[in-house]
Amino acid sequence: MFHFSDEQIERYSRHIILPHVGGKGQEKLLESKVLMIGAGGLGSPAAYYLTAAGIGTLGLADDDAVDRSNLQRQILHFTSDLGAPKTRSAARKLADLNPDCQIHQHSLRVDSSNILDLIDPYDVILDGTDNFPARFLINDACVMARKPLIHAGVFRFEGQATTIIPGETPCYRCVFPEPPPLGMIPSCQEAGILGCVAGIMGAIQATEAIKVLLKIGEPLLGKLLIFDALAMQFRQAAIPRDKECAICSDHPTITQLIDYNQSCDSAGGE
Amino acid sequence: MNITLNGKSREFSDSITVAAMLAELQLHPQQVAVEVNREIVKRDQFEIHQVNDGDEIEILRFVGGGGKEDNNDR
C-alpha cells in the first residue's frame, strides 16, 4: 500500500504509529511542499522540524548572510558559517538531517515582482521574516494565491502565531490593516529577543504546517496565539474577519501587491 | 467599571473611550489593534468608541520580529 523503504519505516516509525499520522499521513508529508520565508530565528527550528518530519520539498527564501549576532537564536547557522548565505548554510544542515527532503534555496528578498512566482509551487507558506513590509506582502500574496499561511512573530519575551486559510479565516490585515509607521515598533536589535522564544514560535509554525497538510486537529484558525515566556503562559485571542478587509474581503481594494518602503528593514529572517 | 482586558479583570474609573483607555495603559494607538467583544475597532474610531462595563477587550500588539538587527550597512 505504501512505498516506504525499510530505512524510511525506521526513520518515520514514531510518526507512523501516531493515530493521526500513520503511513498515509507520512506519505502525504513526503509529497508535500512547504516554503519557509526567512531562515532566521523562526525559520531555523521550523525548517529543522519540517525536514526531520519528512516534508518532501522545503523551500528556503532569504537573501541574508550569517552574522555573528544571529547565532544567539538562529540555530541553523554555526560559527563556521559566518558570512555565508543563510540559504546555503541552512541547506547544508538540513540535507544532512534528512536526505528524503529536497531543499530548494531561494536566495532572494521577497518583493511584489517575485513573490507570486515564489509561492506558486508550494502547498503551505511559513512567514518567518523580521519586518512589516515583508509580512504584509506575504499576507497579501498568500490571500491572492489562496495559499495557507502560517504566521508568527517574536518580540523580547513574547511570541504570536496564527494560521491563515484565505477565504475561510481572517488574514493579517483583518487585524492590522496597515503596517505601523516606520520607527513605531522597536526592532529586535533595539528591543532584544530571547533566542528560545523564537525557537518555541518556530516549532509552533512547523506544528501548524503539519496539521494543515494532514488536516488534523484544530489549527489556529481565527485565533491569535499569544505566548508570554516570562509568565510562561499561552493564551488565544479570537480574531474576527473584517468584512471590509482591503485584501481578503469580497471586494478587495488592494488588487496589486505593495512594496512598502521601510528602508531600515531587512529582508532577513527572524 | 470592570472590563476583561487580555483575559484579566481590570477596573477603570468610568466609561471611557478606547483612546482614553490606551492612554491610561500608556500604549500608542499605532502600536496596537483593539478588539472589543470580538470586533476589531477601527483606528479612526478609537476616539469615539466607548468601552462599557463588562466588555471583553483584547489589545493585540504588532509583533514583527523586528527590523534590521544585523548587517546594518547592507
Side-chain angles (χ1 to χ4, degrees):
Chain A
M1 183 177 171
F2 302 115
H3 307 97
F4 297 128
S5 67
D6 289 348
E7 280 185 8
Q8 285 179 317
I9 290 170
E10 193 178 358
R11 179 183 285 269
Y12 305 117
S13 59
R14 304 303 192 275
H15 272 170
I16 293 169
I17 60 170
L18 281 175
H20 288 83
V21 182
K24 199 175 159 196
Q26 189 58 52
E27 200 162 55
K28 171 77 184 157
L29 294 179
L30 286 162
E31 289 163 359
S32 296
K33 297 177 177 178
V34 175
L35 176 66
M36 181 78 238
I37 306 181
L42 291 163
S44 289
Y48 268 128
Y49 278 115
L50 291 169
T51 302
I55 295 295
T57 303
L58 179 69
L60 296 170
D62 201 310
D63 80 332
D64 219 349
V66 180
D67 184 269
R68 202 178 303 273
S69 67
N70 301 148
L71 303 179
Q72 165 256 16
R73 66 198 178 287
Q74 303 186 10
I75 57 175
L76 270 170
H77 313 301
F78 302 165
T79 307
S80 57
D81 298 314
L82 288 175
K86 285 188 181 174
T87 46
R88 196 170 77 204
S89 161
R92 209 159 36 209
K93 282 66 165 215
L94 299 172
D96 196 27
L97 174 57
N98 189 352
D100 285 347
C101 184
Q102 282 204 17
I103 309 294
H104 290 183
Q105 299 179 45
H106 304 283
S107 297
L108 52 79
R109 178 192 185 109
V110 290
D111 63 32
S112 63
S113 72
N114 61 24
I115 190 161
L116 288 172
D117 286 340
L118 175 71
I119 66 177
D120 184 61
Y122 294 98
D123 303 314
V124 175
I125 316 301
L126 276 64
D127 179 356
T129 59
D130 63 359
N131 65 91
F132 291 108
R135 288 188 178 285
F136 280 84
L137 179 74
I138 292 165
N139 177 74
D140 294 356
C142 286
V143 170
M144 283 181 178
R146 302 241 154 190
K147 298 281 184 187
L149 169 63
I150 321 290
H151 166 95
V154 289
F155 178 78
R156 292 184 176 150
F157 296 92
E158 289 176 39
Q160 289 182 357
T162 189
T163 294
I164 297 163
I165 311 282
E168 293 177 29
T169 70
C171 76
Y172 191 61
R173 266 191 205 274
C174 288
V175 183
F176 299 107
E178 291 285 329
L182 186 59
M184 184 58 69
I185 310 294
S187 68
C188 277
Q189 183 192 14
E190 292 156 353
I193 170 71
L194 190 71
C196 35
V197 170
I200 287 165
M201 300 315 294
I204 285 172
Q205 284 183 288
T207 310
E208 287 289 289
I210 289 169
K211 285 162 62 183
V212 167
L213 289 167
L214 298 184
K215 298 184 166 62
I216 59 172
E218 293 174 39
L220 291 166
L221 308 180
K223 295 170 189 163
L224 185 70
L225 180 75
I226 300 161
F227 172 56
D228 175 349
L230 289 178
M232 200 49 86
Q233 282 181 338
F234 287 93
R235 39 188 304 277
Q236 289 184 3
I239 48 176
R241 251 188 114 171
D242 180 0
K243 291 189 188 105
E244 293 163 14
C245 178
I247 187 76
C248 83
S249 66
D250 293 336
H251 303 286
T253 52
I254 296 173
T255 52
Q256 289 206 314
L257 293 170
I258 304 166
D259 288 309
Y260 292 101
N261 282 319
Q262 296 197 354
S263 57
C264 77
D265 286 322
S266 80
E270 192 45 66
Chain B
M1 178 181 76
N2 196 288
I3 60 162
T4 304
L5 178 63
N6 291 357
K8 287 181 184 156
S9 178
R10 171 130 195 172
E11 282 287 334
F12 281 95
S13 48
D14 270 309
S15 181
I16 51 172
T17 62
V18 168
M21 176 187 69
L22 292 177
E24 196 161 321
L25 297 169
Q26 298 186 315
L27 291 170
H28 195 288
Q30 289 192 298
Q31 292 176 330
V32 296
V34 177
E35 202 180 299
V36 177
N37 301 328
R38 300 194 170 195
E39 293 286 334
I40 297 282
V41 179
K42 304 270 183 199
R43 195 162 285 132
D44 60 11
Q45 299 293 304
F46 281 6
E47 298 281 351
I48 303 161
H49 193 106
Q50 289 284 329
V51 176
N52 296 310
D53 190 46
D55 278 354
E56 288 185 22
I57 296 177
E58 293 284 348
I59 298 179
L60 307 173
R61 294 193 6 191
F62 262 115
V63 171
K68 197 71 181 152
E69 68 206 304
D70 37 52
N71 299 338
N72 276 307
D73 53 343
R74 283 180 73 241

